[in-house]
Amino acid sequence: MRLTPIVFALVLSGCSAVPPLQPSPAPADYVAQATRFLVNYPKLATQGALISQLKATQPPQLYDWFACVKLQDGKIYAIFYANEKVSDLREVVAVDRCPDAYSPLPPAPKPPAKKPAERKKPGA
């Protein structure tokens, strides 16, 4: 019975020898990336949305960085980044601890206007 605490202590000490993973660099253009990414979710009314500053994730969160996006309807989403790119989006949960300070999220760039199709002249 005395061996169990010793074995347990040895097992735990082995875990502490593993160095923590280093996060990828923070994306400098995280706001622009969020704007472009949110275009893929047309059901989210992103006009007039707000975005928080970038924060490092904490376990049990995945990825390296995240920002909170507050929509006009009051819903808040967490947008996650890894390898300097957007990796995921989900509604916030308590562990995200979104801040109170937000900045306006710029409107999404409009796609280039399509030129009207040219009609072929008869006999050409």
Side-chain angles (χ1 to χ4, degrees):
M1 289 291 183
R2 288 186 183 234
L3 208 54
T4 303
I6 294 171
V7 171
F8 186 68
L10 288 172
V11 169
L12 285 180
S13 68
C15 291
S16 65
V18 177
L21 295 174
Q22 295 298 317
S24 63
D29 62 341
Y30 79 97
V31 173
Q33 284 190 40
T35 301
R36 288 190 305 267
F37 185 78
L38 289 169
V39 170
N40 297 317
Y41 296 89
K43 290 185 179 181
L44 299 180
T46 58
Q47 184 172 352
L50 304 170
I51 190 166
S52 71
Q53 293 216 347
L54 202 61
K55 290 175 52 176
T57 58
Q58 301 294 319
Q61 292 172 315
L62 301 176
Y63 309 107
D64 298 324
W65 303 93
F66 80 103
C68 297
V69 176
K70 185 185 275 189
L71 304 180
Q72 284 285 337
D73 63 6
K75 288 185 180 175
I76 303 175
Y77 289 82
I79 189 163
F80 293 89
Y81 300 83
N83 300 317
E84 300 183 67
K85 294 184 181 172
V86 174
S87 297
D88 199 8
L89 173 76
R90 65 161 167 72
E91 284 193 63
V92 297
V93 293
V95 72
D96 296 330
R97 294 182 301 251
C98 288
D100 293 330
Y102 290 86
S103 301
L105 188 66
K110 296 187 192 264
K114 293 182 180 179
K115 293 181 182 178
E118 293 182 21
R119 293 185 179 175
K120 292 186 179 181
K121 293 180 182 179

